[in-house]
Amino acid sequence: MPGKSAPPKELVQGIKEHQSALYRLAFSYVRNKENALDIVQESILKALSQHHTLQSKFVKAWLFRIVVNTSISFLRKQKPLTYTDELPERADPGTPQTEEKLDLMAALRRLDMNSRTVLVLHYFEDLTMKEIAVATDTNLSTVKSRLYSAQNKLRELLASEVSV
Amino acid sequence: MKHLFEEAKKEYMSASAAVSEQLDHMLEETMAQSGLDPKDGWNPPSPWMPLWRTIKTVLYFVLVIILLLNISEGFADALANIPLVGSVAEFLTFREYGE
């Protein structure tokens, strides 16, 4: 049975090498140290038990995919009613805007999961388009269009905050 | 767009610095749960490991028997009466008893 065999050396090395990146990615979703550590631990266990599905050329991207999926399921379990794939609506004109200036990190947190994931992987983790495609389990053209759309959404968010 | 991310990247990257020890500990724990040994540098266990462990156990057992045979006359006498085992025990006994 493939799941029972020993994990390949490159996977174990990859986990050691990228453990900090895996944590940062998980933290970017959950914004909580303990939860991020739990997600990384769960992801490593999944990776070690499902190593037969590993594409050895993309160890890092494959590990990222597990962390992304585990983080999203975690968030869905935590807030099943508030999760949305859509860009959040601007606040009602009558609602007082937050005093705090919205910085890039805060703007990123307001983006939908797909946009946030593609921006984080591209700009913070320096993954190539192909690696992002592996990490998000999509194809290259989807990654390109998601990245383009995410950049536009982010620009809109930042511009709207500056104009407030 | 890239320049916007340069500053934010520092904040993003700093998230893992504060928990590096906890990450190491968690990794150690997780790898152990998966049967990977830190003594091997977390490398997957070699297929020869079980055989090597068996050989070592047998060697230790034989050494203990040799030691007992050579320090305890009673133990040597007890084994001497067992067919086949007696002749092996005699072969492994270097000390002459009853002199």
Side-chain angles (χ1 to χ4, degrees):
Chain A
M1 192 199 281
K4 292 280 180 190
S5 59
K9 216 170 198 169
E10 61 263 34
L11 173 60
V12 180
Q13 290 299 326
I15 291 171
K16 276 197 294 182
E17 196 179 323
H18 303 302
Q19 58 167 327
S20 299
L22 299 177
Y23 171 81
R24 287 194 298 265
L25 185 60
F27 188 81
S28 76
Y29 284 98
V30 295
R31 313 295 306 164
N32 173 291
K33 191 177 83 176
E34 300 306 326
N35 291 342
L37 283 168
D38 285 347
I39 288 169
V40 175
Q41 183 166 35
E42 195 183 328
S43 303
I44 292 173
L45 285 170
K46 277 185 194 168
L48 292 171
S49 65
Q50 296 166 14
H51 61 83
H52 52 281
T53 64
L54 167 70
Q55 294 170 269
S56 53
K57 267 169 71 186
F58 299 107
V59 175
K60 185 180 178 184
W62 185 78
L63 288 169
F64 276 18
R65 182 201 292 187
I66 299 174
V67 171
V68 168
N69 291 338
T70 311
S71 302
I72 291 173
S73 352
F74 176 87
L75 289 175
R76 280 182 178 150
K77 278 182 210 156
Q78 291 283 302
K79 294 177 184 174
L81 297 174
T82 55
Y83 173 75
T84 171
D85 262 334
E86 300 302 318
L87 182 66
E89 292 291 321
R90 287 293 314 273
D92 293 338
T95 309
Q97 289 290 331
T98 172
E99 296 290 317
E100 182 189 1
K101 189 187 169 197
L102 192 69
D103 62 11
L104 183 70
M105 295 304 276
L108 269 177
R109 285 196 284 279
R110 290 183 60 187
L111 287 174
D112 60 278
M113 291 288 182
N114 288 337
S115 304
R116 196 199 310 178
T117 302
V118 80
L119 287 173
V120 164
L121 294 178
H122 182 66
Y123 288 110
F124 291 156
E125 294 297 345
D126 299 320
L127 258 60
T128 62
M129 295 288 178
K130 179 69 193 155
E131 285 173 323
I132 297 173
V134 172
T136 53
D137 201 14
T138 50
N139 57 47
L140 207 54
S141 52
T142 307
V143 172
K144 284 177 185 169
S145 75
R146 275 188 192 171
L147 184 63
Y148 180 75
S149 140
Q151 286 168 337
N152 284 340
K153 285 176 185 174
L154 190 67
R155 272 196 204 100
E156 272 176 38
L157 269 176
L158 292 169
S160 66
E161 286 307 313
V162 168
S163 65
V164 168
Chain B
M1 183 57 66
K2 198 150 189 153
H3 70 276
L4 271 176
F5 279 89
E6 290 302 320
E7 273 303 303
K9 190 172 180 175
K10 286 177 197 161
E11 187 188 331
Y12 175 84
M13 300 301 277
S14 69
S16 57
V19 291
S20 63
E21 271 183 33
Q22 278 167 285
L23 266 175
D24 287 341
H25 177 72
M26 181 275 296
L27 184 67
E28 210 166 290
E29 204 178 86
T30 312
M31 294 296 203
Q33 268 184 45
S34 302
L36 298 173
D37 195 336
K39 285 180 206 158
D40 305 328
W42 296 128
N43 288 326
S46 150
W48 295 104
M49 281 309 285
L51 179 66
W52 175 234
R53 281 198 198 110
T54 310
I55 291 171
K56 274 203 294 190
T57 309
V58 169
L59 274 174
Y60 286 140
F61 181 74
V62 169
L63 280 173
V64 169
I65 296 292
I66 292 172
L67 193 69
L68 282 172
L69 283 170
N70 288 282
I71 59 172
S72 163
E73 190 172 353
F75 182 71
D77 286 345
L79 290 189
N81 298 325
I82 305 171
L84 191 66
V85 174
S87 48
V88 175
E90 198 182 340
F91 176 73
L92 295 173
T93 308
F94 311 111
R95 181 179 152 174
E96 297 285 336
Y97 290 107
E99 285 181 351

